[in-house]
Amino acid sequence: MTRTVLTIDTATPAVSAGVVRVDGRAPVTLAERVTLDARAHAEQLTPNIVAALSDADITGADLDAVVVGCGPGPFTGLRVGMASAAAYAHAVGVPVYGVCSLDAIGGGTSGDVLVVTDARRREVYWARYHDGVRVAGPSVNAPADVPALLDGPVAAVAGSPAHTALFDLPVLEPVYPTPSGLVAAVTDWGDPQPLVPLYLRRPDAKPAPAVRP
């Protein structure tokens, strides 16, 4: 079965929208629009979606599914991407599938690979992959603490350039989740599961303590 899929990811500074054709072979990217700006998720996502559909010469009526990266990532970015994906899928009457955004980076690698992205607060989101399959994570830790958590050596690192540089390893592509990587991360095109964001942290805001009378 051939599917035309809209992809969305806002788990990293790359505000990404793409159109991918899936026909049982390797996913083919028909269009991709990316804005690198960690503060522009809300402003740039919709224009990127519209531009990607236009570049692929299709409309929402031609879509069969929407795939969205569910993180790990900062609260605001994930909220924008996942809410937009759910709303767009509902508007055009197609299912929406959520995937781990790190899988869209690590899924195409071979051997033992570490994938890292920016978690802010001097930390990284990370996951370990063996031949493209996630075997540990996603987790969030200080970069210096990650090697001890890997359960063995890895051969290379992929992901955010500023954070791959913190590890003494060969650096692989891709840098951010790609449209084809997001689609390849879907393991079941049957009934989609509810979208669950991978925040990996407790909210910064905490309830005020109760005041005793």
Side-chain angles (χ1 to χ4, degrees), residues 142-213:
D145 296 335
V146 173
L149 301 171
L150 290 177
D151 191 25
V154 295
V157 62
S160 166
H163 300 87
T164 56
L166 300 175
F167 298 86
D168 187 19
L169 292 166
V171 178
L172 305 177
E173 296 285 348
V175 172
Y176 298 114
T178 64
S180 60
L182 289 163
V183 168
V186 178
T187 58
D188 184 358
W189 290 100
D191 292 335
Q193 300 300 307
L195 299 180
V196 178
L198 296 169
Y199 293 132
L200 301 191
R201 283 197 184 114
R202 296 180 181 274
D204 290 333
K206 298 180 180 179
V211 178
R212 295 182 178 180

Side-chain angles (χ1 to χ4, degrees), residues 20-105:
V20 179
R21 184 174 64 239
V22 185
D23 59 5
R25 295 170 290 182
V28 176
T29 300
L30 304 180
E32 179 180 13
R33 288 293 183 111
V34 180
T35 301
L36 291 178
D37 190 337
R39 299 180 181 274
H41 295 97
E43 294 81 5
Q44 291 298 321
L45 181 57
T46 295
N48 284 356
I49 291 173
V50 171
L53 292 173
S54 177
D55 291 346
D57 197 24
I58 65 170
T59 68
D62 299 308
L63 294 173
D64 299 297
V66 176
V67 173
V68 61
C70 294
F75 176 82
T76 300
L78 286 187
R79 180 176 60 181
V80 169
M82 296 177 67
S84 297
Y88 202 90
H90 177 74
V92 299
V94 299
V96 57
Y97 299 87
V99 299
C100 173
S101 298
L102 298 181
D103 291 354
I105 300 174

